[in-house]
């Protein structure tokens, strides 16, 4: 039996992220036609594909497959922001997932290219700022 809610959610999420079917199909490494079949309920994605999509959109599998997402931009306790793309990383110390905005990711990548002296200046500033938590 086709999951119409899943198809609606896939279409809604893609449009909220200003993506084309071709864009999403490239992320999934499938043809545009195969992805189009998911949005029309002609075919159902396999579990690996569903997990990839849920991770990409920062939602749970239950939300992707069963909940109506239309009209939502944030959910309680979870990041779900359609206008700001987030990148998922893992904290090596705790193993917890951390979501970074594109700006935060850009700053980290720029920090890595700094000279040791400039890195020391930046970390010294952050450590002296009572609102910044760095260990």
């Amino acid at each position: 039996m086709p999951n119409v809610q899943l198809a609606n959610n896939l279409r809604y999420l893609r449009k909220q992220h200003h993506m084309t079917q071709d864009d999403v199909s490239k992320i999934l490494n499938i043809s545009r036609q195969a992805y189009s079949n998911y949005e029309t309920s002609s075919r159902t994605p396999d579990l690996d594909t569903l997990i990839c999509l849920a991770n990409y959109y920062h939602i749970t599998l239950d939300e992707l497959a069963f909940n109506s997402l239309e009209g939502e931009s944030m959910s309680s306790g979870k990041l779900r922001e359609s206008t700001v793309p987030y990148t998922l990383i893992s904290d090596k110390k705790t193993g917890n997932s951390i979501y970074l905005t594109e700006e935060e990711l850009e700053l980290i990548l720029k920090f890595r290219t700094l000279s040791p002296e400039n890195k020391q200046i930046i970390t010294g500033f952050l450590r002296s700022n009572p609102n910044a938590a760095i260990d």
Side-chain angles (χ1 to χ4, degrees):
M1 177 178 286
N3 185 336
V4 177
Q5 188 61 61
L6 172 63
N8 290 340
N9 286 343
L10 291 175
R11 186 173 30 264
Y12 173 76
L13 288 165
R14 176 180 56 79
K15 289 180 179 182
Q16 285 298 303
H17 286 79
H18 309 289
M19 298 172 72
T20 65
Q21 288 183 345
D22 194 50
D23 295 333
V24 179
S25 69
K26 286 177 182 173
I27 291 167
L28 298 173
N29 199 27
I30 60 174
S31 71
R32 187 211 50 81
Q33 184 61 42
Y35 180 77
S36 176
N37 288 334
Y38 300 157
E39 286 192 6
T40 60
S41 293
S42 300
R43 291 185 58 201
T44 301
D46 63 21
L47 182 58
D48 288 338
T49 302
L50 289 171
I51 290 169
C52 182
L53 288 163
N55 286 337
Y56 183 80
Y57 292 124
H58 307 296
I59 59 175
T60 66
L61 286 172
D62 281 348
E63 290 172 313
L64 180 62
F66 303 116
N67 296 352
S68 176
L69 300 176
E70 292 190 43
E72 291 189 27
S73 61
M74 295 289 285
S75 73
S76 60
K78 295 184 181 172
L79 289 174
R80 186 184 304 134
E81 184 65 48
S82 60
T83 58
V84 180
Y86 287 89
T87 301
L88 176 65
I89 65 165
S90 293
D91 183 338
K92 288 183 180 180
K93 290 180 183 177
T94 64
N96 293 337
S97 295
I98 301 171
Y99 293 94
L100 299 177
T101 65
E102 289 296 321
E103 180 184 26
E104 291 167 333
L105 185 59
E106 182 183 341
L107 289 170
I108 290 169
L109 294 174
K110 284 183 180 181
F111 180 82
R112 288 182 173 178
T113 65
L114 294 175
S115 68
E117 295 82 21
N118 285 337
K119 285 182 181 178
Q120 189 175 20
I121 292 169
I122 299 293
T123 54
F125 170 76
L126 291 172
R127 286 189 175 118
S128 68
N129 183 342
N131 296 324
I134 286 192
D135 294 319

